[in-house]
Amino acid sequence: MREERLTVSKIRSGTVIDHIPAGKALQVLKILGITGSEGYRTAVLMNVESRKLGRKDIVKIEHKKLGGDETNLVALIAPTATINIVEDYEIVEKRRVRLPERIRRLIRCPNPTCITRSSREDLVSSFKLVSRDPVVLQCEYCGTMIRGEELEALLIR
Ligand code: CTP
Ligand code: ZN
């Protein structure tokens, strides 16, 4: 029996973020700060068949080559993701995402009395990675711990 599939063409150059957990593609774009208004031709595939994951999402961004630091943030949302850098239709680099040891700016501390939440202080948030699996981060200012599941609600962009 022929399997049904949604075909999206290969890209000539850019980045393919593959093996994103099903339903998380939009959050991946959000964490990368890609809104659509930058003008990159972008394909978002959601809930497509995957041998490894059952269902998965894929994001293809033409002409944008994501650097290492940038893509590691994807691990906050999609630890299973693979980053494929494409040139002349060929994959020239394939890497897994890995959470950085320290994450600045991107996450709002959930503690309302944390100094990083004060409008009078010009401080950016800073979280230290205390555990990768499960993901646990700790605010470097007030010590508040946050778990992976809480992250989505705390993302700043
Ligand atoms: N891809 C693309 N344009 C290209 C080359 C690849 O859009 N010019 C996409 C493929 O459609 C696929 C992803 O990039 O979604 C990874 O391609 P490839 O490594 O060929 O696939 P797999 O071997 O299945 O990847 P993996 O081993 O990571 O599962
Ligand atoms: Zn804090």
Side-chain angles (χ1 to χ4, degrees):
M1 206 168 66
R2 206 178 159 286
E3 84 182 288
E4 278 186 59
R5 50 194 307 179
L6 181 66
T7 320
V8 170
S9 50
K10 301 218 159 201
I11 59 172
R12 181 209 285 272
S13 82
T15 303
V16 177
I17 309 173
D18 197 0
H19 306 298
I20 301 168
K24 302 275 191 191
L26 296 177
Q27 277 159 25
V28 166
L29 286 169
K30 185 178 173 194
I31 205 164
L32 291 171
I34 295 169
T35 63
S37 49
E38 301 80 12
Y40 297 112
R41 189 151 59 175
T42 301
V44 178
L45 292 91
M46 296 205 270
N47 302 309
V48 299
E49 285 74 13
S50 158
R51 257 173 301 137
K52 288 181 212 163
L53 299 175
R55 297 262 167 174
K56 68 174 179 181
D57 288 3
I58 306 173
V59 171
K60 303 190 184 194
I61 309 160
E62 264 193 325
H63 304 306
K64 184 169 171 77
K65 301 218 174 81
L66 293 171
D69 287 351
E70 210 172 356
T71 50
N72 279 331
L73 297 172
V74 168
L76 285 173
I77 302 295
T80 51
T82 315
I83 309 293
N84 299 276
I85 306 295
V86 178
E87 277 172 22
D88 276 328
Y89 291 102
E90 300 289 333
I91 294 172
V92 294
E93 188 185 340
K94 186 187 279 281
R95 59 174 186 267
R96 298 292 307 267
V97 293
R98 185 174 164 83
L99 269 186
E101 298 292 336
R102 177 167 284 113
I103 298 165
R104 287 165 61 78
R105 276 185 187 87
L106 271 185
I107 302 164
R108 183 166 45 86
C109 183
N111 168 13
T113 65
C114 179
I115 191 167
T116 62
R117 299 276 303 264
S118 160
S119 54
R120 277 175 300 148
E121 303 287 340
D122 203 12
L123 282 177
V124 297
S125 68
S126 183
F127 285 84
K128 201 171 63 187
L129 183 65
V130 294
S131 164
R132 274 180 198 280
D133 190 16
V135 171
V136 180
L137 302 171
Q138 183 173 35
C139 175
E140 296 199 281
Y141 290 92
C142 73
T144 298
M145 300 276 197
I146 55 180
R147 287 170 293 123
E149 321 76 271
E150 297 173 273
L151 278 169
E152 285 173 30
L154 298 171
L155 286 180
I156 288 169
R157 71 185 183 199

